[in-house]
């Protein structure tokens, strides 16, 4: 029975996977109108991890299926969530760590699903080698299972060799070094070939076949030995591994030459037979000397017996010359053991716990589609609103429709009474003042969250810098500033957004103060309003042709405004589920051609609406020409104006327009601040997860350095310096200022409110994968219909539902008023207080 080497397993640590996964799915995949509850699946995933990572240490064949199941879930989840998006501090110990290698890392902590997947795959390979080593190779079932598992393990290690550095991107533990993985893959392949040699002997296959199988195994062990003896790997292995491999290489050469001697014996080539047998004896002796073990001892007995018999026959009968073995034709090779590539799924009964979450490429396509859709919606609505503003300005300059209402003489015109009733129904001046007074608190809440996020980043960086200064080169983890570029950049953009929002708030207040008197008057009762508006002079020309024409044109103005409200509603609420199209494209073509599919569907959906917008704008141009012409005729007919009555009615009409505009501004501004709170909290949660992962990694590295120092013996006590006791003054903790960003400050547009936006490209999905924690720095996105004060520089996220959160934003400048299309959702109860900024680690 052959002696197989088995690989030790990496030891994992317990970690909470439930909370980070819930946070991610709630912020990325759930929306207000399409909530996603994966609590049961996440809890099942956590149980599967606990079972899978520890079941491997039982080293039974039944354990393989359990570990396979966990690995399959990791692969499936990684296809839906970028590896670095989940900030879970996965910690794994070096499988070969003996606690005595100076300067090596005994464990590694990386908050990435990819790292977890790599370590689980390593343990799968190690478990496969252990199960193979435990098989009874005296029966076919044991031989088949051992050969299969060893070839699978060889493929797994080979896969790890080519992918581990791409996923870890920092110094790994010794068991995950590419050279180590290459050595382990070679060892598994050589042992798999050895199984086939054993089976050939067990099944009494043809001597020539057995010789070729053993010759191939000899070569595989020789290649394996070269890698195992590399200088950077010698200290990793158990002390008997290299001697064992060297011994097996020699014994395989002995087997190959022995079975080749049997081929010569069958051909009556006695001289060649003796040459091969002599070489076989030398190889068996070399194997025992190298390894101190006796492999294939029963075959060695046959070799010695056959050599004695062959010498005897040759001396008495054949008298053939015994050639030098090097002059003989080389033994051929039979390659049976091959690397089996990593397969998915590994388990026989795999069921994806997160099957409803769509693949990453589909999320990317959906995000790009949402961005295109947002551009169209924002552009078309902006055209409508700009045109309406032009229309209102033109009418205000002509004092319409107040001028034609004055011609009716005394009393209040019905249209003015209707406007006053509308203002009072919406709460009047009191409602506006309440909304305005709420803005500072909403603003302060967001500033506090952002300050707390910056504080956590600064505190983590200060800790890392201090330890780096203390331990110098031994503090060999990635510096904080290389991992937090996107955190810092997004923080700077958020602060620019808030600063722009402050300017927008100021302009709304100025607009309110300008029209305050008219709004106050409209908020009064009808009788009070009648006492404010002077009576007319009785010179009514209400039946003139010019007045009739203007009244008809004012009706057209009302009609065109109503039509625009309808178009804007249809633009804002147009929904198109692209998920199925993208999924179908991925299934049929293996890829998603997002630009072609998106442009085609957006054209079908928004093409007719874009045509209506264009027609409405063109219709307004003709309408304004008619109004100007009719108003000129009206001025000639009317002659002198109605004095104070006309002025006050004009003021009331302007107050009504301002009330509606300011009310819309304030409601959307309040919605903006509440939604920004949710986004900043999501970003703060990610920063908190990042800081916790870094804290865990820091503690592990400190532990390793402490153990290393303890192995060096007691340090020499240094002399006390002369300046001992004089400490530099410590800085007083304060609210951190915004981190510098490569994004230049953006000037606030002069036509606020509320086009508050920041120039710059949206952060791409999964950007900057060169760092262990890169894409996690991307802030939570906002809904596509949400265009707060212009836009926020949110990354193209991969949510496909409606509402907050999960939508990319487009930098669009809105003319006049808060941006359009806010989903009317109530602000979260308790808002920021539900999760205070200092919830932290």
């Amino acid at each position: 029975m052959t002696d197989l080497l088995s690989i030790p397993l990496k030891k994992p640590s317990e970690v909470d996977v439930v909370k980070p996964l819930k946070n991610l799915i709630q912020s990325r995949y759930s929306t207000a109108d399409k909530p996603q509850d994966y609590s049961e699946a996440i809890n099942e995933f956590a149980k599967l991890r606990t079972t899978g990572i520890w079941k491997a240490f039982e080293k039974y064949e039944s354990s393989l299926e359990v570990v396979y199941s966990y690995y399959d879930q990791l692969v499936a989840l990684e296809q839906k969530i970028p590896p670095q998006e989940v900030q879970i501090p996965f910690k794994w110990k070096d499988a070969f760590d003996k606690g005595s290698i100076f300067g090596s890392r005994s464990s590694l902590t990386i908050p990435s699903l990819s790292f977890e997947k790599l370590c689980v795959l390593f343990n799968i390979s190690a478990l496969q080698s252990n199960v193979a080593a435990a098989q009874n190779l005296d029966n076919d079932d044991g031989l088949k299972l051992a050969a299969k598992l060893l070839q699978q393990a060889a493929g797994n290690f080979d896969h790890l060799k080519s992918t581990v550095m791409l996923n870890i991107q920092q110094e790994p533990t010794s068991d995950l070094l590419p050279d180590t993985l290459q050595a382990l893959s070679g060892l598994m392949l050589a042992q798999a070939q050895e199984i086939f040699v054993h089976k050939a002997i067990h099944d009494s296959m043809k001597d020539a076949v057995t010789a070729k199988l053993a010759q191939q195994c000899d070569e595989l062990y020789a290649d394996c030995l070269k890698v195992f003896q590399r200088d950077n790997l010698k200290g990793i292995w158990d002390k008997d591994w290299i001697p064992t491999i060297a011994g097996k290489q020699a014994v395989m050469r002995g087997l190959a030459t022995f079975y080749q001697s049997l081929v010569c014996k069958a051909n009556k080539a006695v001289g060649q037979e003796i040459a091969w047998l002599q070489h076989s004896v030398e190889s068996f002796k070399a194997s025992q000397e190298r390894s101190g073990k006796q492999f294939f001892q029963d075959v060695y007995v046959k070799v010695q017996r056959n050599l004695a018999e062959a010498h005897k026959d040759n001396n008495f009968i054949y008298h053939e010359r015994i050639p030098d073995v090097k002059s003989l034709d080389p033994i051929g090779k039979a390659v049976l053991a091959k690397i089996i590539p990593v397969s998915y799924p590994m388990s026989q009964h795999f069921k994806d716990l997160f099957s409803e979450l769509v693949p990453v490429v589909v999320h990317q396509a959906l995000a790009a589609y949402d961005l295109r859709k947002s551009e169209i919606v924002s552009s078309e609505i902006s055209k409508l609103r700009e045109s309406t503003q032009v229309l209102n300005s033109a009418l205000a300059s002509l004092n319409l429709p107040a001028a034609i209402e004055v011609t009716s003489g005394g009393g209040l015109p019905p249209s003015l009474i209707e406007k006053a009733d509308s203002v009072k129904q919406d709460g009047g001046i009191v409602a506006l003042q309440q909304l305005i007074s709420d803005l500072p608190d909403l603003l302060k809440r967001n500033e506090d969250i952002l300050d707390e996020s910056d504080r956590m980043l600064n505190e983590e960086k200060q800790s890392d810098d201090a330890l780096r200064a203390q331990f110098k080169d031994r503090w060999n983890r990635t510096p904080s500033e290389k991992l937090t570029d996107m955190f810092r950049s997004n923080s700077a953009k958020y602060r620019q957004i808030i600063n722009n929002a402050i300017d927008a708030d100021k302009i709304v207040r100025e607009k309110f103060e300008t029209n305050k008197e008219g709004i106050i008057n409209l908020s009064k009762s009808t009788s009070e309003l009648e006492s404010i508006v002077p009576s007319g002079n009785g010179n009514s020309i209400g039946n003139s042709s010019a007045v009739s024409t203007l009244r008809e044109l004012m009706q057209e103005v009302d009609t065109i405004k109503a039509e625009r409200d309808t178009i804007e509603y249809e633009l804002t609420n147009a929904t198109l589920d692209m998920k199925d199209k993208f999924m179908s494209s991925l299934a049929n073509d293996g890829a998603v051609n997002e630009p072609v599919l998106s442009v085609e569907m957006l054209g079908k959906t928004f093409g007719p609406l874009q045509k209506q917008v264009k027609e409405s704008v063109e219709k307004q141009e003709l309408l304004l020409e008619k109004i100007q012409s009719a108003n000129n005729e009206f001025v000639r007919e009317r002659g002198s104006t109605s004095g104070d009555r006309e002025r006050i009615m004009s003021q009331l009409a302007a107050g009504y327009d301002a009330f509606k505009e300011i009310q819309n501004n304030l409601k959307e501004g309040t919605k903006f601040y509440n939604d920004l709170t949710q986004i900043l909290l999501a970003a703060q949660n990610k920063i908190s997860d990042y800081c916790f992962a870094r804290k865990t990694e820091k503690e592990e590295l400190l532990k390793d350095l402490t153990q290393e120092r303890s192995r060096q013996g007691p340090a020499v006590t240094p002399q006390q310096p002369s300046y001992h006791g004089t400490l530099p003054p410590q800085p007083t903790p304060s609210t951190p200022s915004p981190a510098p960003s490569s994004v230049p400050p953006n000037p606030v547009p002069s036509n606020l409110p509320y086009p508050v936006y920041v120039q710059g490209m949206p952060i791409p999905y999964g950007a900057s994968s060169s760092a262990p924690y890169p894409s996690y720095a991307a802030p939570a996105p906002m809904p596509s219909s949400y265009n707060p004060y212009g836009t926020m520089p949110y990354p193209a996220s991969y949510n496909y539902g409606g509402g907050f959160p999960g939508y990319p934003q487009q930098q669009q400048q809105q003319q006049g008023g808060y941006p359009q299309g806010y989903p009317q959702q109530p602000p979260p109860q308790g808002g920021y207080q539900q999760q205070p900024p200092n919830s932290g680690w």
Side-chain angles (χ1 to χ4, degrees):
M1 185 171 175
T2 189
D3 184 13
L4 296 177
L5 295 176
S6 56
I7 313 300
L9 280 77
K10 295 177 68 66
K11 292 183 180 179
S13 63
E14 295 289 349
V15 66
D16 178 21
V17 300
V18 175
K19 181 181 176 182
L21 282 177
K22 282 186 177 179
N23 286 342
L24 177 66
I25 291 176
Q26 287 174 0
S27 64
R28 289 287 192 184
Y29 293 84
S30 294
T31 60
D33 61 339
K34 189 183 288 186
Q36 299 285 344
D37 183 10
Y38 280 88
S39 299
E40 184 176 347
I42 292 172
N43 291 332
E44 183 64 28
F45 179 79
K47 293 178 183 177
L48 189 59
R49 180 184 192 270
T50 302
T51 305
I53 61 176
W54 295 112
K55 192 74 172 178
F57 289 90
E58 295 182 7
K59 301 180 180 179
Y60 299 120
E61 184 183 355
S62 58
S63 301
L64 285 168
E65 185 66 22
V66 179
V67 190
Y68 290 165
S69 297
Y70 177 54
Y71 178 80
D72 289 340
Q73 292 297 337
L74 285 172
V75 174
L77 193 59
E78 191 182 34
Q79 292 174 352
K80 301 174 177 66
I81 298 175
Q84 287 82 9
E85 280 293 305
V86 181
Q87 289 288 299
I88 304 174
F90 294 111
K91 174 190 172 185
W92 289 82
K93 287 184 67 68
D94 187 341
F96 298 101
D97 176 55
K98 308 177 186 64
S100 60
I101 303 175
F102 179 81
S104 67
R105 301 186 69 168
S106 62
S107 65
L108 189 60
T109 303
I110 298 180
S112 166
L113 281 176
S114 289
F115 179 61
E116 173 83 347
K117 186 186 74 171
L118 294 174
C119 294
V120 172
L121 184 59
F122 182 98
N123 271 10
I124 285 175
S125 310
L127 179 58
Q128 288 171 332
S129 72
N130 280 271
V131 174
Q135 297 306 303
N136 180 6
L137 302 184
D138 291 330
N139 63 70
D140 282 345
D141 291 339
L143 287 167
K144 289 179 181 178
L145 180 59
K148 183 182 87 169
L149 292 177
L150 289 170
Q151 290 176 94
Q152 288 176 340
N156 295 341
F157 283 127
D158 185 68
H159 173 77
L160 287 171
K161 179 193 71 174
S162 59
T163 59
V164 66
M165 296 307 296
L166 294 175
N167 288 279
I168 292 182
Q169 299 198 355
Q170 60 178 287
E171 182 186 355
T173 48
S174 60
D175 54 351
L176 293 179
L177 289 170
D179 284 353
T180 305
L181 297 168
Q182 179 185 353
L184 295 178
S185 177
L187 174 62
M188 295 297 101
L189 192 63
Q191 293 191 148
Q193 183 75 15
E194 182 183 345
I195 295 296
F196 288 115
V197 173
H198 193 92
K199 179 172 176 57
I201 297 173
H202 178 268
D203 293 351
S204 301
M205 293 184 181
K206 292 182 179 180
D207 297 330
V209 173
T210 306
K212 292 177 180 179
L213 288 171
Q215 181 66 21
Q216 170 66 9
C217 194
D218 168 22
E219 184 171 311
L220 289 175
Y221 271 122
D223 293 340
C224 178
L225 188 61
K226 293 176 183 177
V227 182
F228 268 78
Q229 290 180 319
R230 289 177 182 172
D231 293 338
N232 62 325
L233 300 182
K234 285 184 177 179
I236 295 177
W237 321 113
D238 288 343
K239 62 181 180 180
D240 63 336
W241 274 31
I242 291 179
T244 298
I245 294 171
K248 288 198 171 190
Q249 185 263 326
V251 82
M252 285 300 143
R253 188 172 65 246
L255 289 173
T257 51
F258 167 65
Y259 281 97
Q260 186 65 22
S261 74
L262 296 179
V263 174
C264 295
K265 182 178 181 180
N267 294 332
K268 305 298 184 182
V270 179
Q272 294 183 21
E273 176 191 2
I274 294 174
W276 286 121
L277 286 172
Q278 289 176 341
H279 192 62
S280 179
V281 169
E282 293 173 0
S283 298
F284 271 96
K285 289 181 179 179
S287 173
Q288 293 182 12
E289 292 173 357
R290 293 177 183 179
S291 64
K293 300 177 181 178
Q294 295 180 341
F295 300 114
F296 293 93
Q297 187 63 22
D298 54 338
V299 178
Y300 183 39
V301 171
K302 294 180 182 178
V303 172
Q304 292 174 315
R305 183 174 63 246
N306 284 12
L307 180 59
E309 292 176 354
H311 271 300
K312 181 179 178 180
D313 291 343
N314 192 49
N315 291 335
F316 287 97
I317 303 174
Y318 301 106
H319 304 289
E320 287 190 12
R321 182 183 65 85
I322 301 174
D324 186 346
V325 72
K326 295 179 181 179
S327 66
L328 300 177
D329 293 337
I331 303 172
K333 293 180 290 185
V335 180
L336 286 187
K338 298 179 182 179
I339 287 177
I340 298 178
V342 178
S343 62
Y344 171 79
M346 289 187 179
S347 59
Q348 297 179 358
H349 308 290
F350 170 65
K351 180 181 178 182
D352 189 356
L353 296 176
F354 302 94
S355 57
E356 295 300 318
L357 298 181
V358 299
V360 170
V361 291
V362 175
H363 287 304
Q364 293 173 325
L366 288 168
Y369 162 78
D370 283 336
L371 189 57
R372 297 177 193 275
K373 175 185 172 184
S374 179
E375 290 177 357
I376 293 174
V377 172
S378 297
S379 175
E380 298 306 314
I381 291 180
S382 178
K383 292 177 185 177
L384 289 176
R385 292 191 172 184
E386 289 173 12
S387 296
T388 301
Q389 284 186 341
V390 170
L391 180 59
N392 288 337
S393 298
L395 294 177
S397 67
L398 301 175
N399 199 21
L400 292 174
I404 59 174
E405 291 177 340
V406 171
T407 61
S408 62
L412 295 177
S415 63
L416 185 58
I417 296 175
E418 183 180 345
K419 290 177 180 178
D421 290 341
S422 176
V423 169
K424 289 193 285 286
Q425 185 177 356
D426 289 342
I429 189 71
V430 175
L432 287 190
Q433 290 174 330
Q434 180 61 49
L435 288 172
I436 290 175
S437 65
D438 289 342
L439 290 181
D441 291 338
L442 299 175
L443 170 65
K444 184 64 166 57
R445 179 176 68 185
N446 288 296
E447 289 178 327
D448 288 344
I449 299 173
L450 193 53
D451 288 343
E452 174 64 15
S453 298
D454 284 343
R455 184 200 64 78
M456 288 192 290
L457 287 175
N458 292 336
E459 188 175 89
E460 190 278 325
K461 182 180 184 302
Q462 290 168 5
S463 174
D464 184 65
D465 290 345
L467 290 168
R468 193 175 306 281
Q470 177 182 350
F471 291 102
K472 309 297 182 187
D473 294 339
R474 288 182 296 164
W475 194 253
N476 55 0
R477 70 170 183 167
T478 308
S480 296
E481 58 267 17
K482 292 186 178 181
L483 304 176
T484 57
D485 283 346
M486 284 204 297
F487 281 129
R488 300 287 189 183
S489 176
N490 290 326
S491 177
K493 292 176 182 178
Y494 288 140
R495 288 197 183 277
Q496 182 63 55
I497 290 169
I498 290 177
N499 290 336
N500 290 352
I502 293 173
D503 292 328
D505 292 345
K506 180 180 178 181
I507 291 179
V508 170
R509 290 190 184 94
E510 291 173 352
K511 189 188 301 182
F512 172 75
E513 293 298 330
T514 301
N515 296 276
K516 185 175 182 180
E517 183 179 355
I519 297 172
I520 291 175
N521 289 332
L522 287 170
S523 302
K524 295 180 178 180
S525 64
T526 304
S527 59
E528 290 175 312
L529 190 57
E530 287 177 345
S531 65
I532 293 172
V533 180
S535 300
N537 57 16
N539 294 329
S540 175
I541 57 171
N543 295 324
S544 71
S545 60
V547 171
S548 298
T549 301
L550 282 174
R551 285 176 177 165
E552 291 176 358
L553 292 174
M554 291 304 102
Q555 290 178 357
E556 290 188 35
V557 168
D558 293 338
T559 300
I560 202 171
K561 288 182 178 180
E563 289 174 349
R564 287 177 179 177
D565 289 340
T566 301
I567 295 173
E568 182 173 329
Y569 176 83
E570 291 178 355
L571 283 168
T572 304
N573 293 276
T575 57
L576 186 62
D577 187 4
M578 294 295 293
K579 173 187 173 184
D580 291 339
K581 283 193 170 295
F582 289 149
M583 290 288 287
S584 176
S585 176
L586 181 63
N588 296 333
D589 306 330
V592 178
N593 192 342
E594 181 274 326
V596 173
L597 294 174
S598 294
V599 170
E600 177 186 356
M601 297 309 298
L602 288 172
K604 291 180 181 179
T605 304
F606 291 100
L609 293 174
Q610 288 175 303
K611 182 179 179 181
Q612 292 179 39
V613 171
K614 182 180 180 181
E615 292 173 350
S616 178
V617 173
E618 293 173 349
K619 182 179 179 181
Q620 175 177 307
E621 294 176 0
L622 298 174
L623 181 61
L624 283 175
E625 291 179 3
K626 293 179 181 180
I627 291 173
Q628 182 65 53
S629 177
N631 185 73
N632 292 338
E633 180 66 24
F634 167 70
V635 170
R636 286 194 297 269
E637 292 181 0
R638 182 184 59 177
S640 62
T641 65
S642 300
D644 290 342
R645 176 179 173 83
E646 182 175 351
R647 178 182 59 80
I648 293 177
M649 291 182 67
S650 177
Q651 180 194 66
L652 292 173
Y656 171 78
D657 290 338
F659 175 85
K660 291 298 183 181
E661 183 179 351
I662 294 171
Q663 183 186 50
N664 185 56
N665 291 164
L666 292 172
K667 286 183 177 179
E668 292 181 338
T670 301
K671 178 80 168 67
F672 160 76
Y673 279 124
N674 282 325
D675 284 349
L676 179 60
T677 296
Q678 300 302 313
I679 292 171
L680 292 178
L681 282 175
Q684 185 192 75
N685 284 339
K686 292 178 181 179
I687 291 174
S688 176
D689 289 344
Y690 159 79
C691 291
F692 176 76
R694 290 282 284 180
K695 178 174 178 286
T696 303
E697 184 184 25
K698 177 185 72 175
E699 291 172 350
E700 288 302 320
L701 188 52
L702 279 172
K703 180 180 177 182
D704 291 343
L705 291 172
T706 303
Q707 292 176 347
E708 174 188 317
R709 177 171 292 182
S710 67
R711 290 195 292 266
Q712 296 178 30
V716 179
T717 305
Q719 295 182 354
Q720 178 174 308
S722 59
Y723 52 83
H724 179 75
T726 305
L727 296 176
Q730 298 298 313
T732 303
S734 60
T735 302
S737 60
S741 172
S742 59
V743 180
N746 197 58
V748 179
S750 59
N751 57 347
L752 289 169
Y754 259 91
V756 182
Y757 63 99
V758 174
Q759 295 289 347
M761 295 300 293
I763 300 169
Y765 170 86
S768 181
S769 60
S770 61
Y773 316 92
S775 61
Y776 214 110
M782 299 187 68
S784 60
S785 58
Y786 199 83
N787 197 6
Y789 304 81
T791 35
M792 297 187 182
Y794 298 112
S797 176
Y798 45 89
N799 194 353
Y800 55 86
F804 173 85
Y807 280 80
Q809 296 301 302
Q810 177 63 20
Q811 326 278 329
Q812 294 290 338
Q813 179 175 342
Q814 300 298 326
Q815 300 292 333
Y818 284 83
Q820 70 285 351
Y822 294 84
Q824 297 303 314
Q825 302 167 14
Q829 297 297 321
Y832 160 55
Q833 285 76 13
Q834 287 183 342
Q835 189 169 1
N838 59 359
S839 57
W841 302 347

